């Protein structure tokens, strides 16, 4: 076989090996969601690729048979074709035995380099750029090869299955999509500019509804405006003017004995019609939804849907009222700063390295604002004040501070054991950290 014929054969072997490399990486890297879209659009090849991903053993057996056979054949052809040429060239400067050895090494290096570059690295990188497109393109010829090599593939596949069984390894990949997968995809989309950063944060907040308890979004007990059942018309009007809200709990004696709630629209309608306001009127007071404080926000949304309400009173295990929550509170948690809160901001950035934060701010919001990876004793508190109490193991006093994750949390104001304001500052400069 002359040199030109050998080089042509090597080129064909490299092309065949490149085909198997593309076939391998394209099927492995193809996204099932994208393949399902192609299949739904009427591409039968995408359906075949999906079936291959469900049972990949025979497919990859054919790939490995092809790649290894070509690699061995390429080494034989390359050594026979290039070694004589290198031997003639190197004999001009080296002794005959040394020239033979050097010619073999040069031939091996050239053939191996060509296969690594053009049969492995280049086609695999190419296949990674658009795996679904290449996967549907190669699936048909790969099926033909699978039929031709079926006996060999069966033997090797059974041997591989035996090894998997011996070591107790799974033979099918897990294609279940988790919330972490979706969040990771949206983060990648935000980095690529496909999603706006705020849109990505909204999606992440939606998945947090299953982990955040209702206490992280509620209005706490000391900020709840409520009426007593025997409040006079004048008291009701004065409280509405002083604390305008859309909904007010109605209690019997104190806040821990809630009998219902009243909608501000009903009160305004009576005022406009010149009618007196009497909370003893059962037609004015509606039945209230009571939920425990350990429910997640997702469970509260489900409760709202079931009863057709958008307001609930939250109680603890001792049946004491700890706060109230509305549908708007939950949606504000999801939407974040895409909507303008009616109340004063709970997290105010003073400068590049410090924040002034309300003590009742949900701890998840503090973590997001500061970019902290994790906090100690997670699950034992819902707010920044709770975090400080757990860390100090007592009720914090003014000037008390806690250091964590490069931040200093200093209590600035305490009102009747309630932490009003916390100054958070970086304990060390970012460059030094």
């Amino acid at each position: 076989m002359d040199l030109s014929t050998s080089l042509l054969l090597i080129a064909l072997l490299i092309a065949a090996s490149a085909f198997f490399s593309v076939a391998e990486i394209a099927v492995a890297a193809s996204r099932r969601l994208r393949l399902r879209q192609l299949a739904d659009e009427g591409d039968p090849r995408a359906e075949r690729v999906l079936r291959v991903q469900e049972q990949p053993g025979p497919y990859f057996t054919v790939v490995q048979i092809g790649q290894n056979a070509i690699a061995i054949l390429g080494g034989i052809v390359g050594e026979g074709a290039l070694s004589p040429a290198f031997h003639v060239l190197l004999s001009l400067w080296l002794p005959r035995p040394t020239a033979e050895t050097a010619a073999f090494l040069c031939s091996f290096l050239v053939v191996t380099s060509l296969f690594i570059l053009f049969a492995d690295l280049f086609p695999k990188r190419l296949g990674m750029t658009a795996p679904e497109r290449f996967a549907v393109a190669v699936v048909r010829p790969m099926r033909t090869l699978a039929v031709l090599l079926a006996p060999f593939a069966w033997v090797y596949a059974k041997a591989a299955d035996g090894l998997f069984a011996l070591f107790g390894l799974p033979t099918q990949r897990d294609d279940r999509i988790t919330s972490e997968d979706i969040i990771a995809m949206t983060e990648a989309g935000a980095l690529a500019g496909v999603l706006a950063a705020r849109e990505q944060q909204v999606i992440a907040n939606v998945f947090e509804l299953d982990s955040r308890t209702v206490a992280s979004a509620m209005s706490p007990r000391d900020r709840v405006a409520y009426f007593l059942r025997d409040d006079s018309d004048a008291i009701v009007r004065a409280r509405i003017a002083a604390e305008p809200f859309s909904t007010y709990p109605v209690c019997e004696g104190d806040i821990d004995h809630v009998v219902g709630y009243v909608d501000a629209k009903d009160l305004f309608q009576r005022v406009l019609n010149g009618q007196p306001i009497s909370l003893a009127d059962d037609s004015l007071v509606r039945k209230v939804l009571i939920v425990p404080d350990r429910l997640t926000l997702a469970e509260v949304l489900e409760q709202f849907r079931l009863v057709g309400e958008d307001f609930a009173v939250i109680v603890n295990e001792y049946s004491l009222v700890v706060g109230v929550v509305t549908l708007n509170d939950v949606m504000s948690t999801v939407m974040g700063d895409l909507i303008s809160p009616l109340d004063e901001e709970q997290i105010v950035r003073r400068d590049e390295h410090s924040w002034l934060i309300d003590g009742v701010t949900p701890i998840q919001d503090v973590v997001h604002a500061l970019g902290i990876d994790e906090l100690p004793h997670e699950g034992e508190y819902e707010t920044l004040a709770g975090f400080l109490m757990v860390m100090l193991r007592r009720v914090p006093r003014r000037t008390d501070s806690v250091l964590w994750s490069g931040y200093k949390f200093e209590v600035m104001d305490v009102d009747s054991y309630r932490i009003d304001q916390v100054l958070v500052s970086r304990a060390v400069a970012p460059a030094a950290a």
Side-chain angles (χ1 to χ4, degrees):
M1 185 183 300
D2 58 20
L3 181 60
S4 59
T5 304
S6 299
L7 292 177
L8 177 61
L9 183 56
I10 291 175
L12 292 176
L13 291 174
I14 289 175
S17 183
F19 167 80
F20 284 113
S21 293
V22 170
E24 178 184 28
I25 198 66
V27 170
S30 292
R31 297 162 292 183
R32 290 188 64 84
L33 289 177
R34 179 57 182 153
L35 290 172
R36 177 52 58 192
Q37 289 178 343
L38 293 174
D40 293 340
E41 292 170 2
D43 191 341
R45 300 174 301 172
E47 190 66 43
R48 295 191 191 104
V49 177
L50 287 170
R51 289 198 295 268
V52 168
Q53 288 187 336
E54 292 173 358
Q55 295 289 339
Y59 182 92
F60 286 112
T61 301
V62 173
V63 169
Q64 293 306 314
I65 290 174
Q67 283 185 324
N68 285 279
I70 291 172
I72 294 172
L73 185 58
I76 296 173
V77 174
E79 194 277 333
L82 300 181
S83 288
F86 279 114
H87 181 264
V88 172
L89 180 62
L90 294 174
S91 295
L92 299 176
W93 299 281
L94 300 175
R96 181 181 179 85
T98 306
E100 289 180 355
T101 304
F104 170 78
L105 293 176
C106 291
S107 175
F108 174 80
L109 180 61
V110 170
V111 174
T112 302
S113 300
L114 290 174
F115 269 85
I116 290 175
L117 180 59
F118 294 105
D120 194 65
L121 293 180
F122 179 77
K124 285 188 175 180
R125 286 193 181 185
L126 184 64
M128 286 294 294
T129 58
E132 295 83 14
R133 186 178 68 182
F134 285 103
V136 298
V138 302
V139 68
R140 184 172 296 172
M142 284 297 297
R143 287 186 64 190
T144 303
L145 289 172
V147 173
L148 296 175
L149 299 175
F152 301 99
W154 183 86
V155 171
Y156 292 126
K158 290 301 180 181
D161 290 342
L163 290 175
F164 272 87
L166 178 64
F167 294 105
L169 300 174
T171 58
Q172 295 183 355
R173 72 178 187 178
D174 187 358
D175 287 312
R176 291 175 297 178
I177 299 176
T178 65
S179 58
E180 289 79 10
D181 296 331
I182 298 176
I183 292 176
M185 291 176 63
T186 59
E187 290 175 347
L191 291 175
V194 178
L195 281 176
R198 290 185 175 183
E199 293 172 346
Q200 189 276 327
Q201 187 59 58
V202 169
I203 297 173
N205 290 343
V206 169
F207 286 101
E208 284 188 359
L209 293 180
D210 281 325
S211 59
R212 294 184 64 158
T213 62
V214 65
S216 67
M218 71 179 183
S219 297
R221 175 189 178 102
D222 60 342
R223 295 189 179 183
V224 175
Y226 64 94
F227 298 130
L228 297 178
R229 193 69 182 260
D230 56 0
D231 281 344
S232 64
D233 180 281
I235 293 177
V236 172
R237 291 171 183 260
R239 184 157 299 155
I240 293 174
E243 301 175 282
F245 294 104
S246 61
T247 310
Y248 299 88
V250 178
C251 308
E252 194 76 60
D254 57 48
I255 192 174
D256 292 316
H257 296 83
V258 181
V259 297
Y261 77 94
V262 62
D263 196 304
K265 295 193 296 291
D266 297 335
L267 300 178
F268 293 152
Q269 186 175 8
R270 293 210 173 196
V271 171
L272 294 175
N273 292 333
Q275 298 175 319
I277 299 175
S278 174
L279 299 179
D281 185 353
D282 290 335
S283 63
L284 188 62
V285 179
R286 305 184 185 185
K287 186 177 180 180
V288 68
L289 173 64
I290 307 292
V291 298
D293 61 350
R294 303 317 300 173
L295 289 187
T296 65
L297 292 178
E299 291 171 326
V300 171
L301 281 178
E302 181 63 15
Q303 291 287 325
F304 283 155
R305 186 189 67 81
L306 290 175
V307 302
E309 293 286 354
D310 59 2
F311 173 80
V313 173
I314 307 166
V315 298
N316 61 15
E317 58 184 313
Y318 303 106
S319 298
L320 300 178
V321 173
V322 296
V324 298
V325 67
T326 66
L327 180 60
N328 184 64
D329 294 330
V330 180
M331 290 299 100
S332 297
T333 301
V334 173
M335 302 304 292
D337 57 0
L338 289 181
I339 60 177
S340 300
L342 298 177
D343 299 330
E344 183 181 355
E345 290 185 64
Q346 291 183 317
I347 301 178
V348 178
R349 187 160 190 164
R350 298 172 69 247
D351 53 44
E352 186 178 355
H353 303 298
S354 65
W355 296 258
L356 195 62
I357 305 179
D358 196 304
V360 298
T361 304
I363 196 63
Q364 290 90 344
D365 296 340
V366 177
V367 169
H368 287 157
L370 302 180
I372 298 176
D373 293 332
E374 60 178 354
L375 292 175
H377 312 294
E378 289 183 330
E380 297 184 17
Y381 46 85
E382 299 290 343
T383 65
L384 178 57
F387 163 71
L388 293 172
M389 288 182 180
V390 169
M391 294 298 289
L392 294 170
R393 314 309 296 179
R394 58 178 172 79
V395 177
R397 296 186 293 268
R398 189 176 180 183
T399 72
D400 282 344
S401 63
V402 170
L403 292 175
W404 180 261
S405 190
Y407 290 93
K408 179 181 180 181
F409 300 81
E410 183 178 0
V411 179
M412 301 299 292
D413 188 25
V414 178
D415 182 14
S416 299
Y417 304 107
R418 176 186 177 277
I419 301 175
D420 275 342
Q421 297 290 334
V422 178
L423 178 63
V424 182
S425 56
R426 286 193 174 93
V428 293

